[in-house]
């Protein structure tokens, strides 16, 4: 199982991060399977960063083996969706970028890919217009909708499958909308998909 993530996939997030040029193709990075955090287990703040930020995202689960998938067939290759958190060590990321170095460790550290409870695709009216949100300690901090993505899930699947074979159980994190920010000890994070709570965990 691999975790595939998309960067810069919402216009307003590009704006809040002072990124002027929108991507012309999906910006892809990979997290190792050791980054996965599920079943409501707590997230423990690592000692190598002073600023861990949440990025709330729709996450799609791959259900078929596929390579070089045509966009018109991509909808056949996922069977469920949920809300996840792409945790980022923002200070570490900034330092690595400033030095022109790869920044994967600021995204791929242990437990940095939080995953909620999946909802089967058949229970969702339209994955292309799917609202989601995150609240911290009862206050909504991020809201997004799949219709606002620069690259939709079908485009992402087609693009990624040009370079690497998608396998059953792979996860695709589709990017975050505006509103990212830091977490602190004892924060409670709750993620909602189409109004239904699918994610609930604490920061320790």
């Amino acid at each position: 199982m691999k975790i595939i993530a998309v960067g810069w996939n919402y216009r307003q997030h590009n704006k809040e991060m002072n990124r002027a040029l929108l991507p012309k193709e999906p910006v892809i990075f990979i997290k190792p399977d050791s980054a996965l955090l599920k079943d409501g287990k707590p997230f423990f703040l690592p000692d190598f960063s002073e600023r861990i930020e949440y990025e709330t995202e729709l996450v799609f689960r791959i259900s078929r083996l596929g390579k070089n998938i045509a966009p018109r067939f991509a909808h056949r290759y996922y069977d469920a969706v949920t809300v996840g958190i792409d945790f980022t060590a923002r200070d570490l990321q900034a330092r690595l970028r400033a030095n022109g170095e790869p920044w994967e460790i600021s995204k791929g550290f242990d437990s940095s890919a939080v995953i909620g409870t999946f909802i089967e695709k058949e229970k969702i009216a339209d994955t292309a217009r799917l609202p989601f949100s995150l609240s911290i300690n009862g206050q909504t901090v991020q809201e997004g909708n799949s219709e606002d993505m620069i690259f939709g899930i079908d485009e992402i699947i087609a693009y990624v499958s040009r370079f690497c074979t998608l396998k059953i159980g792979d996860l695709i994190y589709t990017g975050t909308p505006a509103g990212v920010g830091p977490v602190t000890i004892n924060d409670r994070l709750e993620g909602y998909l189409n109004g239904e709570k699918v994610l609930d965990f604490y920061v320790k």
Side-chain angles (χ1 to χ4, degrees):
M1 188 272 288
K2 54 186 172 291
I3 301 168
I4 300 160
V6 183
W8 311 117
N9 203 24
Y10 286 81
R11 289 174 177 81
Q12 290 302 312
H13 177 57
N14 278 264
K15 184 176 180 180
E16 76 174 343
M17 300 301 288
N18 299 313
R19 183 180 171 91
L21 297 177
L22 295 178
K24 295 181 179 180
E25 294 181 323
V27 177
I28 304 298
F29 60 94
I30 306 292
K31 287 174 176 265
D33 57 6
S34 57
L36 194 64
L37 181 66
K38 57 184 181 178
D39 301 327
K41 294 179 181 178
F43 172 77
F44 291 91
L45 289 173
D47 59 6
F48 52 76
S49 174
E50 298 298 323
R51 188 177 178 89
I52 298 293
E53 292 191 352
Y54 60 83
E55 297 186 9
T56 313
E57 314 197 3
L58 290 174
V59 183
F60 291 79
R61 186 177 67 197
I62 298 298
S63 57
R64 295 176 63 180
L65 185 73
K67 173 71 174 175
N68 290 320
I69 301 164
R72 67 183 183 277
F73 298 131
H75 67 279
R76 302 177 181 177
Y77 286 81
Y78 61 91
D79 65 353
V81 61
T82 190
V83 172
I85 305 293
D86 168 23
F87 275 125
T88 304
R90 195 68 73 193
D91 50 351
L92 177 58
Q93 183 186 49
R95 185 167 69 250
L96 292 168
R97 280 180 168 165
N99 294 333
E101 299 171 352
W103 43 264
E104 278 79 2
I105 58 172
S106 70
K107 287 278 194 178
F109 56 91
D110 286 354
S111 300
S112 63
V114 188
I115 198 74
T117 302
F118 278 97
I119 296 178
E120 299 300 317
K121 184 171 65 173
E122 288 72 18
K123 297 179 180 179
I124 298 171
D126 187 358
T127 57
R129 291 176 177 81
L130 189 56
F132 64 101
S133 64
L134 175 72
S135 68
I136 298 182
N137 304 323
Q139 180 178 354
T140 300
V141 294
Q142 267 191 301
E143 292 181 287
N145 193 301
S146 58
E147 68 179 353
D148 296 324
M149 293 194 295
I150 298 172
F151 305 102
I153 182 59
D154 291 354
E155 292 176 273
I156 294 167
I157 287 174
Y159 181 81
V160 171
S161 70
R162 291 172 54 195
F163 303 97
C164 59
T165 300
L166 293 176
K167 296 185 176 182
I168 296 172
D170 286 352
L171 303 177
I172 299 182
Y173 282 64
T174 55
T176 192
V180 302
V183 292
T184 58
I185 290 177
N186 295 324
D187 279 347
R188 182 183 184 182
L189 279 68
E190 297 170 281
Y192 296 84
L193 179 64
N194 211 16
E196 179 179 346
K197 184 160 72 171
V198 294
L199 183 67
D200 190 351
F201 69 102
Y202 285 87
V203 176
K204 298 294 185 181

